Amino acid sequence: MKYLFLLMVLCSGFVQATTDENAKFTELANEVWQYSLDTSPLSAAYYGLDTQPGKMPDISPAQLKQQFAQYSQQSQKLSRIQVEKLTEQNQINLAILQHMVQNAADNYRFKAFQIPLTAEGGFHTSLGFLPRVANFKNAVDVENYIARLTEFPRYFNQQIAYMREGLASGNSQPNIVLQGFETSIDGFVVTDAQESLFYKPLQELSFLSAGQQTTLQTQAQKAIIEHVVPSYQLFRQFMVEDYIPNARSTIGVINTPNGAAYYQNRAEHYTTTTMSAQEIHEIGLQEVKRIRNEMQRIIEQVEYEGSFAEFLTFLRTDPQFYPKTAEELLKEASFIAKKMDAQLPKFFKFLPRTPYGVEPVPAHIAPKYTTGRYVGPSKDTDPGYYWVNTYALDRRPLYEMEALTLHEAVPGHHLQISLSREMKNTPLYRSSYYISAFGEGWGLYSEWLGLEAGFYQDPYSNFGRLTYEMWRAARLVVDTGMHVMGWSREQAMDFMKQNSALSEHNIKTEIDRYISWPGQALSYKIGELTIKRLRQEAESELGQKFDIREFHYQVLKNGSVPLSQLEQQVKLYIQDQLNHNQ
């Protein structure tokens, strides 16, 4: 009896310690998340938690320095949490917060704030989401929105000042990727305020009296003409006259201050692994060789008589493979998406309630934008959107549309992101967080899953799938090649041309994207290879007991997680199934 009592005391102490550690973590997690919202009013607005209504972010040097100190302190506190005493869900919450806080600190340490743009766009295009998240319920909401517009000049001036610092130290985007960049600004410069994207939420104010509507609409038009438009005009002038002409001529981030360390940091952030650039490069070469062999088999299947290079030229130039109108391209994307919708119950136990639509990429960003993208909802009353780029239709081959649609819509980004967003009893910092290796790995895995769902019956469409897979494999080679190994832009473009059927326009757009966004392109293939490997392990271990719907549930059930966490949860699932079946 004495020993039983002692055992009860010991167990009670363990439970108490575990409870205390979870409570301690939850308090710290709330503190970290609240600080993030307080210092990022635009992010808070996106989540419908506007912590500073009417304000743009303060990114002054003093404020950024203070934030870095705070993030560093938070990172230390999180590292002292005793992981083994946390619940499974809190262990995942901790991993997400560590990833988020470390990234914020690293971006300051490597002075990423001096380069607030990529080849596709930048802080100025990101502001375009403000009208989408505007949710006016009363006059004060409208007044706060207008007040935020009047703060554009300060915010733009702060960004330009950091970009000037970067120019002076050699920490800039390369000149070559910014040719034509001003087109991403031009769409925001209007002479009629009512034509501005930022005026859109002001068009419908029926909840106010006629007098209030007129007053606020007049104030908004004044703010746009006097504050918003001049900010974009100033930024355009700076880019055209100062930044682009004086930006660095080299393309590799290794040529920037502390560039080698920065690239390794980005590689680790985007892949959630500790692999070196050389290791990633070698994996890419191996995958390129494997996929190239599969492509050759399709060329033989269609009985094409020419060389591999001639077949690629045929695909890039024959009109039969290209849409005649934007409507035709959008209809094709919509049909494929709807066709996949009907297959989802065969592969997934749970489906999201959030619907999605298909829309063209906005015209003002389309020329330098990628082929397609998923844009998630900002509030519960919104759908997600699968954006299809309808610019330059002679460079948008239809044989790639099945792979693109499965990646961006379902079962790719829309399904995965929506399930994550709709998770129950999960903090917002986790359900809204996106880890590139997981999300993009899932997107690429989704393209491959289309084979099992009955897609790619046309050999040219299957070649399009392989072209997309080759695209991601080649990224491992060209991204590391350009940023670390001294590859030229032309060398990277030639490698892509020689190994994929991507149009030359797409290749140029993509190579410039990789140059301007170091490391991000590594996440797709590394994530996909991990998910495929884990599925193979599950199939091998479980044999006939393997259930594809259950496997997908196990992969997706905790939202976007680091690959090490994904591996852990799949292995636990396999072991649980083996124990259950004994």
Side-chain angles (χ1 to χ4, degrees), residues 252-254 259-260 263-264 277-278 478-487:
V253 76
I254 197 171
Y263 187 78
Q264 182 60 34
Q278 185 63 50
V478 300
D479 199 88
T480 52
M482 291 188 294
H483 286 298
V484 178
M485 299 172 185
W487 281 34

Side-chain angles (χ1 to χ4, degrees), residues 141-170:
D141 290 339
V142 184
E143 289 167 355
N144 286 331
Y145 178 83
I146 296 169
R148 183 164 274 155
L149 298 183
T150 66
E151 291 213 344
F152 272 40
R154 172 186 61 78
Y155 184 65
F156 273 68
N157 281 324
Q158 287 179 328
Q159 296 280 18
I160 290 171
Y162 287 129
M163 293 175 72
R164 286 191 191 279
E165 288 180 9
L167 277 179
S169 66

Side-chain angles (χ1 to χ4, degrees), residues 278-511:
Q278 185 63 50
E279 289 174 311
I280 293 170
H281 190 84
E282 290 300 323
I283 291 172
L285 290 173
Q286 292 167 17
E287 283 292 285
V288 165
K289 183 179 179 181
R290 177 187 63 78
I291 298 164
R292 179 73 176 261
N293 289 334
E294 291 191 37
M295 287 176 151
Q296 188 60 46
R297 286 197 288 272
I298 291 180
I299 293 174
E300 293 167 3
Q301 179 187 350
V302 299
E303 300 180 345
Y304 185 80
E305 307 252 335
S307 67
F308 187 85
E310 288 170 334
F311 185 69
L312 297 187
T313 300
F314 164 61
L315 292 179
R316 291 186 182 122
T317 57
D318 195 305
Q320 69 172 305
F321 297 120
Y322 294 85
K324 304 296 187 295
T325 66
E327 183 180 30
E328 180 187 352
L329 185 61
L330 292 169
K331 281 185 175 180
E332 181 69 11
S334 301
F335 172 73
I336 295 167
K338 199 63 190 169
K339 186 178 172 184
M340 187 63 220
D341 279 344
Q343 298 298 314
L344 294 178
K346 297 178 185 177
F347 296 93
F348 300 94
K349 288 171 62 176
F350 299 102
L351 299 175
R353 62 166 297 279
T354 306
Y356 66 97
V358 181
E359 281 192 341
V361 171
H364 66 279
I365 59 174
K368 289 178 70 67
Y369 208 70
T370 192
T371 308
R373 185 156 287 170
Y374 176 69
V375 181
S378 57
K379 47 185 181 287
D380 289 340
T381 54
D382 290 342
Y385 279 104
Y386 163 31
W387 278 3
V388 178
N389 200 330
T390 56
Y391 175 81
L393 290 172
D394 60 340
R395 302 159 197 171
R396 311 293 173 195
L398 295 170
Y399 55 76
E400 293 175 354
M401 288 309 296
E402 286 191 323
L404 177 65
T405 302
L406 301 188
H407 182 109
E408 301 296 343
V410 292
H413 288 327
H414 173 72
L415 184 139
Q416 181 265 311
I417 291 172
S418 296
L419 285 175
S420 180
R421 188 172 174 269
E422 295 170 16
M423 287 190 299
K424 303 297 184 185
N425 304 314
T426 306
L428 183 58
Y429 62 76
R430 179 169 141 206
S431 61
S432 62
Y433 198 62
Y434 189 75
I435 290 181
S436 194
F438 182 92
E440 300 303 342
W442 176 261
L444 184 49
Y445 170 81
S446 295
E447 295 174 28
W448 175 76
L449 192 63
L451 287 168
E452 291 181 60
F455 288 81
Y456 313 119
Q457 296 300 308
D458 183 325
Y460 291 104
S461 181
N462 198 23
F463 196 91
R465 175 188 69 82
L466 289 172
T467 280
Y468 264 40
E469 188 180 6
M470 177 67 86
W471 176 18
R472 280 40 167 269
R475 285 176 177 178
L476 303 185
V477 179
V478 300
D479 199 88
T480 52
M482 291 188 294
H483 286 298
V484 178
M485 299 172 185
W487 281 34
S488 68
R489 179 171 176 262
E490 290 69 29
Q491 186 178 356
M493 290 177 67
D494 286 344
F495 187 85
M496 296 284 277
K497 287 177 191 175
Q498 291 162 10
N499 289 291
S500 81
L502 290 174
S503 71
E504 292 193 19
H505 174 82
N506 281 352
I507 288 172
K508 177 183 176 297
T509 299
E510 289 300 315
I511 290 296

